[in-house]
Amino acid sequence: MVDKNTGYQPFNTMREILRDNSLLVKTMGRFGLAFGFGDENVENICKKHGVDTSTFLAVCNLLSGYPYNQFDISIHTLTEYLKQAHNGFLKISLPRIRHYLIEAINHTEANDVEILFMRFYDDYVLEVTKHMNYENNVVFPYVEKLSAGLTGDDFNITRYSSNHDNAATKLKELKDLFIYHYKQPDNLRLSVTLFDIVMCEKDLMAHFEIETKLFVPAVERLEKKSRLSSGGSIDRMEDNSKNVEENAISEREKDIIRCVASGKSNKEIAEELFISPHTVATHRRNINSKLGIHSSAGLTIYAIIHNIIDAKEVKL
């Protein structure tokens, strides 16, 4: 039985852990643990598969809201886990969502809004792919060299953490555009796809939490030990998005949205509306705060759906 005060321990059976939090089944796969474990405890299962027990328990406890700082982290084990998580997102979850999204949105006949939605999603996937490839090709090799006692790389984990954007934010933006602004008569497929997006969003948030709370501090300790850096703080992106009614958007803000949707830069918008670029930037921040939409692609979709701009004025 799981003690809520201490969380999962090496003597707990894997069955007990999964009964407590069934979502950890995906975590097991990313650690390379085989199923069919019967009533064996965590320590025995991890040893059989060459997985550091403490690292596995730290991740599972963190994801389940239990104390996790009691466990030491194996950089090697955690790095391999993160690599497998990347494979899951890039090769399975995100391609699957794209496949079902194509079928879900107005699957009888494509139109301009649907094309923009798919472009938005494809741009998002490209952004996530670049982020995770950077980790795979730059961050993880750096950590492996650091673990081996090699120094001299022009890189440190503080620089990585300060640029560690939460890619789940844009996925939430896409989901909110569908839920609050997109209308179509047949929503059965779309609702199932949106549920997949919600689960992927939560999975990504959990993934970045593991990197932020376990991976980065562990590497900082390793850097400190190797005298490569003094460590650094982690800038975490807070989601300040708010959903408001359309009438909260002023006419001037609609002018700004219309210009953004037509592909104009802040300077071009300022010249067209006879205001300063600084004022344009202020309006855009206000729009982002009110709508929870932070990208030009998202504002373009919003503008078409709410008839702020005609789709013909947008370059698809």
Side-chain angles (χ1 to χ4, degrees), residues 164-170 212 234-240:
H164 190 196
D165 295 335
N166 189 338
T169 301
K170 196 168 183 180
T212 298
I234 300 169
D235 297 328
R236 301 193 61 187
M237 178 181 291
E238 295 183 1
D239 183 9
N240 296 317

Side-chain angles (χ1 to χ4, degrees), residues 34-277:
F35 299 116
F37 41 73
D39 287 313
E40 285 195 84
N41 65 34
V42 170
E43 187 171 25
N44 287 340
I45 293 172
C46 287
K47 283 183 177 180
K48 286 182 178 180
H49 294 86
V51 173
D52 180 71
T53 304
S54 292
T55 305
F56 174 78
L57 288 170
V59 170
C60 290
N61 277 295
L62 173 60
L63 294 178
S64 300
Y66 295 137
Y68 59 88
N69 286 327
Q70 57 187 302
F71 300 104
D72 293 329
I73 298 297
S74 162
I75 289 290
H76 173 73
T77 296
L78 188 57
T79 299
E80 291 303 309
Y81 168 86
L82 295 174
K83 288 179 181 178
Q84 289 304 310
H86 290 176
N87 286 337
F89 285 119
L90 299 181
K91 296 181 180 180
I92 301 174
S93 298
L94 295 174
R96 182 178 60 197
I97 288 176
R98 188 183 193 280
H99 173 75
Y100 288 118
L101 195 59
I102 291 174
E103 292 186 346
I105 54 175
N106 203 3
H107 48 273
T108 56
E109 182 180 355
N111 59 43
D112 294 336
V113 173
E114 280 68 48
I115 292 173
L116 288 171
F117 266 122
M118 292 310 305
R119 179 174 296 175
F120 185 106
Y121 183 77
D122 288 342
D123 288 345
Y124 163 74
V125 172
L126 180 61
E127 181 180 321
V128 174
T129 300
K130 288 181 178 179
H131 174 82
M132 292 186 174
N133 282 341
Y134 176 77
E135 291 180 342
N136 290 339
N137 299 326
V138 177
V139 179
F140 296 155
Y142 162 75
V143 173
E144 289 169 0
K145 290 181 180 179
L146 193 63
S147 298
L150 302 176
T151 62
D153 293 66
D154 184 23
F155 179 86
N156 61 56
I157 204 65
T158 303
R159 182 188 307 171
Y160 160 74
S161 63
S162 65
N163 291 288
H164 190 196
D165 295 335
N166 189 338
T169 301
K170 196 168 183 180
L171 192 59
K172 179 183 184 302
E173 185 175 310
L174 176 66
K175 177 199 67 180
D176 288 349
L177 279 167
F178 274 119
I179 293 176
Y180 300 111
H181 304 290
Y182 182 74
K183 294 180 181 180
Q184 70 173 21
D186 179 10
N187 280 324
L188 182 59
R189 296 188 188 190
L190 182 57
S191 62
V192 173
T193 304
L194 288 176
F195 180 80
D196 287 343
I197 291 176
V198 169
M199 295 306 295
C200 186
E201 173 195 345
K202 290 181 179 296
D203 196 12
L204 276 167
M205 291 175 67
H207 176 75
F208 291 125
E209 188 174 25
I210 290 169
E211 291 185 327
T212 298
K213 292 184 177 181
L214 296 180
F215 181 69
V216 171
V219 177
E220 286 178 338
R221 289 192 293 270
L222 194 57
E223 286 179 333
K224 185 176 181 180
K225 184 178 179 181
S226 302
R227 301 181 183 277
L228 290 180
S229 83
S230 58
S233 62
I234 300 169
D235 297 328
R236 301 193 61 187
M237 178 181 291
E238 295 183 1
D239 183 9
N240 296 317
S241 62
K242 300 177 182 178
N243 293 309
V244 296
E245 297 297 327
E246 184 186 0
N247 58 19
I249 299 296
S250 69
E251 290 303 316
R252 174 56 85 187
E253 288 169 340
K254 288 182 180 180
D255 290 337
I256 299 291
I257 293 173
R258 186 181 300 109
C259 289
V260 171
S262 63
K264 292 183 173 63
S265 65
N266 280 8
K267 181 179 179 181
E268 291 170 331
I269 295 173
E271 293 174 352
E272 179 171 323
L273 300 181
F274 301 102
I275 56 179
S276 70

